[in-house]
Amino acid sequence: MSTHEGEQVLVVPREAFNAVGAFNGVRRNPQDYLEAFLKPGVARYMDRALAEKSPQFKQLIGYAIFCHRGRILAYSRTAKGTETRLHDKWSLGIGGHINPIDGLTDSIHTYLTGMEREIREEISIPAAVGQELYAVINDDTDEVGSVHLGIVHRFELESEEVAPNEKKLDNLGFHSLEELVGDLYPKLESWSAICVDALRADAAK
């Protein structure tokens, strides 16, 4: 029995991903991917239960990471989350799927509305003093990654006063980059490990 209860999610054909440039890991030109995916006739909504079993499509995921003075927000995923394949993993990403409630498929406004909705549902945060469209992340080497594509947004917050709105987010708090590349690194889900590697590369510049 599906746990998704008829949820519809925004997907793009893998051919659209290939056309812009398929990869495993990270790319730092996310605007190119979004512009290609949100052209008329490319993205569409699909039943999530089907999309989870269809690697010929990529579910678009808004994946926000939050920083404050060099420290990065992270949390552990509890068994209350619907994605059982990520239970007990640590993550940096807040966000999720784009749904029909967010608007039409071929609109950047729809995508941003969905990402902002997901953030509000999951956490309460102070005002952001800065944000950037940071990266695209992909990992076709595992079951979860093969059907998802992450669009990473990086927010700089004015304080660390962040609170979870959902019980699936445990141990929510800020960590130094040194902590994330140390003992926590083996516990990170793959997308978060990719983000940590990108942040570490930025810090080394």
Side-chain angles (χ1 to χ4, degrees), residues 2-9 45-50 99-100:
S2 172
T3 60
H4 305 305
E5 299 179 348
E7 180 184 3
Q8 298 284 306
V9 296
Y45 290 113
M46 175 184 286
D47 183 78
R48 183 175 174 184
L50 176 61
N99 304 124

Side-chain angles (χ1 to χ4, degrees), residues 8-85:
Q8 298 284 306
V9 296
L10 192 65
V11 303
V12 296
R14 183 171 286 269
E15 289 84 356
F17 176 47
N18 294 341
V20 187
F23 65 92
N24 273 324
V26 63
R27 291 289 183 272
R28 298 297 291 273
N29 58 330
Q31 192 65 41
D32 293 340
Y33 287 85
L34 275 182
E35 287 178 355
F37 296 159
L38 297 177
K39 289 179 179 177
V42 178
R44 67 182 178 91
Y45 290 113
M46 175 184 286
D47 183 78
R48 183 175 174 184
L50 176 61
E52 293 290 347
K53 301 176 182 178
S54 303
Q56 64 269 36
F57 293 92
K58 283 286 192 179
Q59 300 170 57
L60 289 187
I61 304 295
Y63 195 84
I65 58 177
F66 297 90
C67 305
H68 177 66
R69 296 183 178 178
R71 290 163 58 81
I72 302 110
L73 187 69
Y75 62 93
S76 59
R77 296 180 182 268
T78 72
K80 295 182 183 297
T82 59
E83 183 48 86
T84 59
R85 295 167 293 188

Side-chain angles (χ1 to χ4, degrees), residues 78-131:
T78 72
K80 295 182 183 297
T82 59
E83 183 48 86
T84 59
R85 295 167 293 188
L86 296 178
H87 288 172
D88 300 321
K89 293 285 189 177
W90 279 75
S91 180
L92 309 187
I94 298 292
H97 296 85
I98 311 303
N99 304 124
I101 192 174
D102 301 314
L104 302 174
T105 58
D106 55 351
S107 167
I108 187 66
H109 176 74
T110 293
Y111 167 76
L112 293 174
T113 297
M115 188 197 71
E116 292 166 2
R117 172 184 53 76
E118 287 281 353
I119 292 172
R120 290 194 305 271
E121 289 175 358
E122 295 189 13
I123 59 173
S124 297
I125 58 173
V129 295
Q131 62 172 290

Side-chain angles (χ1 to χ4, degrees), residues 173-194:
F174 285 84
H175 298 265
S176 68
L177 190 55
E178 289 74 18
E179 290 172 321
L180 291 172
V181 300
D183 292 342
L184 282 177
Y185 192 84
K187 303 175 184 179
L188 294 174
E189 46 98 356
S190 64
W191 281 9
S192 291
I194 292 170

